[in-house]
Amino acid sequence: MTAITISTPITAVEELHLARLVDDFLELIDTSRDVGDPAVERLTPSPYPGDQGSTAAFAEATRNDLLDRRAADARRMRASLGDFDEDPTALGDAALESRDLAISLDELDPWLRTLTAIRLVIATRLGITVDDDSGEDGRHQVYDWVGYRLELLIQAADDAGAGLGS
């Protein structure tokens, strides 16, 4: 039986940047297990925002498991992306060549969860509270680009879902 995949176009330089974002996300999760980093707090929300005692107990009981699951998702996503030289100029003329990135339906949910989590981290770091927030520098463009990648995956999944039943 052939595994069903979805595909989305991506250039080599986009894949490189996406791989770096995932690597940075994994580093954040691996090194920020202590309470205090607002981005990690956003990734591990409490259902008891007005009750510090319940919030602390909930975090103690669930935080590491949730971060472990986020890390596992990110590792699965990262495995789908290429290995890259640290220097993006090493891509040379291939940097803007587009290819179809194939993602199995089994890998889709980890991709969607990881891209969403990366957007949450970026939004927290930049103080973005609504999608319409825009800044003067290029950092907001990264937030928008990750949202674009997420939208492309959702569209590809919808397209694949429409064809699965036939």
Side-chain angles (χ1 to χ4, degrees):
M1 181 173 186
T2 305
I4 299 172
T5 62
I6 61 166
S7 66
T8 183
I10 193 165
T11 65
V13 73
E14 286 178 310
E15 189 173 2
L16 167 82
H17 290 304
L18 192 55
R20 285 184 174 174
L21 283 171
V22 175
D23 290 343
D24 290 346
F25 180 72
L26 283 165
E27 182 179 338
L28 172 72
I29 290 174
D30 290 341
T31 61
S32 296
R33 292 294 173 119
D34 295 328
V35 176
D37 184 326
V40 176
E41 295 297 318
R42 184 90 186 262
L43 293 173
T44 58
S46 172
Y48 313 105
D51 182 345
Q52 287 185 346
S54 295
T55 294
F58 182 80
E60 186 176 327
T62 63
R63 182 184 190 88
N64 284 333
D65 183 52
L66 180 56
L67 291 174
D68 288 345
R69 284 184 279 148
R70 288 192 182 279
D73 282 345
R75 284 186 190 93
R76 287 176 70 181
M77 178 180 172
R78 183 60 180 92
S80 302
L81 299 167
D83 292 323
F84 296 97
D85 188 299
E86 287 297 314
D87 181 10
T89 60
L91 293 173
D93 293 338
L96 298 178
E97 289 180 12
S98 184
R99 71 175 185 93
D100 283 335
L101 178 65
I103 302 166
S104 72
L105 288 183
D106 292 340
E107 298 295 316
L108 182 61
D109 284 342
W111 270 75
L112 295 174
R113 288 189 295 259
T114 300
L115 287 174
T116 300
I118 289 171
R119 283 191 89 213
L120 282 173
V121 169
I122 294 169
T124 302
R125 295 281 193 250
L126 297 178
I128 297 171
T129 56
V130 295
D131 276 342
D132 292 339
D133 284 352
S134 63
E136 296 298 320
D137 60 27
R139 297 178 304 163
H140 284 75
Q141 292 174 351
V142 175
Y143 173 81
D144 290 339
W145 178 76
V146 173
Y148 167 73
R149 300 301 323 168
L150 186 59
E151 184 178 328
L152 286 177
L153 280 180
I154 291 169
Q155 182 61 49
D158 285 347
D159 292 348
L164 292 176
S166 48

